[in-house]
Amino acid sequence: MSETRDGALAENTYIIRPNFQHKFKTAIAKECIQNVLKEELAGKEYNPEDIPGLTKFLSETIKDKLKEMGWDRYKLVVQVVIGEQRGEGVKMAARCFWDADTDNYAQDIYMNESLFCVAAAFGSFYY
């Protein structure tokens, strides 16, 4: 038995695969990311001094919203990149070592006249 955050004892579940209802669903996660980016970045101008704090705030907000979705046994990692919109191309890539049956990711892109933002959320099932 292990102890939970509130001090209560929890029984071991021995679950090695999530039920279909509890799998990390990319469509739901993408919609959540999209909503956060639209709410927080609407009307924002690119300012290099504000970007570090803004990326941290966005990643924490996205992670908190995803945790509310009920993916309890998932380790969530959120990456947010913001850049200035100059008409140049940007390529991004990510590599992960995971179980293709249980783990997945979702991403969304937000752009306005001043900036672009790429947010990716990775859900890895915690065995």
Side-chain angles (χ1 to χ4, degrees):
M1 285 201 262
S2 62
E3 197 170 308
T4 62
R5 290 183 184 167
D6 61 356
L9 290 178
E11 296 278 337
N12 290 330
T13 60
Y14 303 107
I15 295 174
I16 60 171
R17 296 273 184 247
N19 299 342
F20 179 75
Q21 297 87 0
H22 296 108
K23 278 192 173 185
F24 185 84
K25 295 179 178 65
T26 57
I28 295 170
K30 182 179 174 86
E31 184 179 337
C32 177
I33 294 169
Q34 189 175 42
N35 291 338
V36 170
L37 294 181
K38 280 183 181 178
E39 287 173 16
E40 300 298 334
L41 295 177
K44 291 268 187 197
E45 292 286 322
Y46 182 82
N47 183 353
E49 289 84 32
D50 297 340
I51 297 304
L54 183 58
T55 55
K56 185 176 179 181
F57 171 76
L58 287 172
S59 62
E60 289 175 354
T61 303
I62 292 168
K63 185 178 72 171
D64 292 343
K65 298 269 186 188
L66 290 174
K67 282 184 177 182
E68 292 173 5
M69 299 288 180
W71 295 309
D72 298 329
R73 298 276 308 261
Y74 276 87
K75 173 74 175 176
L76 298 172
V77 177
V78 178
Q79 178 185 20
V80 176
V81 176
I82 298 177
E84 186 174 11
Q85 189 74 276
R86 293 190 199 169
E88 300 173 354
V90 175
K91 293 189 179 195
M92 296 179 64
R95 292 182 119 183
C96 299
F97 183 69
W98 64 24
D99 185 348
D101 291 336
T102 59
D103 306 338
N104 217 330
Y105 80 100
Q107 70 169 11
D108 196 44
I109 301 168
Y110 178 87
M111 288 191 283
N112 64 19
E113 297 79 31
S114 178
L115 58 82
F116 69 89
C117 178
V118 180
F122 301 88
S124 178
F125 188 73
Y126 189 68
Y127 293 99

